[in-house]
């Protein structure tokens, strides 16, 4: 089914019993292949997407022309959850005090033929946002797996330096967070990333230890 962010936050849950979608205060609805979009993608919206899985099940979600600007994680893949996120159209995920796409212990594949722009913006309280744009929060390890593949285009815009700064990675860990997981970019993916003030484009935030793997292969274009 189509789920429109104008109608509230969207939560996707998947386990051995199947996959459901809950929106706002509504009831869980069985949906194995939800498409989350907006009626008007030109307008920034503060409602968010949460993905939670268990029982070694992977959630399947398509995002299409979304434009989230939130004080929380725009998309939060909870804990060790697994998700396949298919991109259609142009998607933007911005956060003031979280990550554009939060991944810590989880296993996330980003594919499709659309685009995803992730950004962290100035925190209105702390001034700085030290979280990764795609990856973990400040003081949090990124021990999971982020796989960008297919014909997906992923960019991480940098707006914090002029607004106040921040030291998270573009893709990887936040400041003081270790990157012990795996980042894979392959097939025909196109990735253009930048860190914040002292964060890596791909890897760790400032003061983070790297013991994981960064693998670029196939026909991927990475800058």
């Amino acid at each position: 089914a189509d789920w429109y962010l104008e109608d509230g936050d969207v939560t996707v849950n998947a386990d051995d019993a199947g996959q459901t979608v809950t929106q706002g205060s509504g009831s869980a609805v069985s949906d194995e292949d939800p498409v989350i979009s907006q009626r008007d993608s030109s307008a920034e919206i503060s409602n968010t997407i949460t993905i939670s899985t268990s029982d070694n099940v992977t959630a399947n979600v398509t995002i299409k022309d979304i434009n989230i600007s939130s004080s929380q994680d725009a998309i939060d893949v909870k804990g060790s959850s697994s998700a396949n996120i298919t991109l259609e159209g142009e998607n933007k995920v911005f956060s003031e005090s979280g990550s554009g796409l939060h991944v810590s212990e989880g296993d996330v594949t980003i594919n499709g033929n659309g685009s995803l722009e992730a950004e962290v913006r100035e925190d209105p309280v702390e001034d700085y946002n030290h979280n990764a744009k795609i990856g973990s929060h400040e003081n949090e390890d990124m021990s999971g797996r982020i796989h960008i593949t297919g014909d997906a285009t992923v960019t991480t815009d940098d707006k914090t330096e002029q607004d106040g700064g921040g030291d998270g990675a573009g893709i990887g860990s936040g400041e003081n967070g270790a990157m012990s997981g795996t980042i894979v970019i392959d097939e025909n993916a196109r990735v253009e990333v930048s860190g914040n003030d002292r964060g890596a484009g791909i890897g760790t935030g400032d003061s983070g230890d790297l013991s994981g793997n960064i693998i670029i292969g196939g026909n991927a274009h990475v800058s």
Side-chain angles (χ1 to χ4, degrees):
D2 292 320
W3 299 85
Y4 297 101
L5 284 169
E6 287 92 340
D7 298 333
D9 297 332
V10 175
T11 300
V12 179
N13 285 283
D15 56 25
D16 277 346
Q19 180 170 294
T20 63
V21 178
T22 305
Q23 186 159 40
S25 58
S27 300
V29 177
S30 178
D31 192 337
E32 298 293 335
D33 190 19
V35 178
I36 302 171
S37 62
Q38 289 179 214
R39 297 182 180 91
D40 179 9
S41 62
S42 67
E44 291 186 347
I45 196 163
S46 61
N47 293 329
T48 61
I49 299 169
T50 301
I51 300 172
S52 180
T53 71
S54 58
D55 303 328
N56 294 317
V57 174
T58 299
N60 293 296
V61 177
T62 297
I63 59 173
K64 181 179 180 180
D65 294 321
I66 65 172
N67 187 1
I68 299 174
S69 180
S70 175
S71 61
Q72 309 172 63
D73 296 315
I75 302 176
D76 184 11
V77 180
K78 289 287 190 183
S80 58
S81 297
S82 298
N84 287 327
I85 300 175
T86 301
L87 306 179
E88 292 186 7
E90 298 180 0
N91 300 279
K92 300 177 181 180
V93 287
F94 306 152
S95 178
E96 290 179 345
S97 55
S99 295
L101 170 56
H102 177 231
V103 184
S104 55
E105 305 169 55
D107 185 344
V108 177
T109 297
I110 301 169
N111 57 29
N113 55 17
S115 66
L116 176 69
E117 178 185 349
E119 179 187 312
V120 293
R121 293 175 171 173
E122 175 184 307
D123 187 310
V125 176
E126 300 293 335
D127 288 335
Y128 299 97
N129 187 333
H130 295 299
N131 304 307
K133 296 164 188 178
I134 299 175
S136 67
H137 292 160
E138 180 182 3
N139 299 316
E140 179 184 49
D141 294 347
M142 206 303 283
S143 58
R145 184 173 184 267
I146 298 169
H147 184 195
I148 303 171
T149 190
D151 294 309
T153 298
V154 174
T155 60
T156 64
D157 201 2
D158 193 354
K159 294 293 178 64
T160 58
E161 188 169 350
Q162 68 231 38
D163 292 340
D167 296 323
I171 302 175
S173 67
E175 182 183 22
N176 293 319
M179 211 302 282
S180 59
T182 301
I183 298 168
V184 180
I185 304 169
D186 61 10
E187 293 193 10
N188 298 311
R190 303 186 70 88
V191 175
E192 183 176 346
V193 291
S194 61
N196 293 341
D197 190 19
R198 296 184 181 90
I202 302 174
T204 75
D206 186 31
S207 300
D209 292 327
L210 180 82
S211 60
N213 298 303
I214 300 169
I215 302 166
I216 300 170
N219 295 314
H221 289 247
V222 179
S223 60

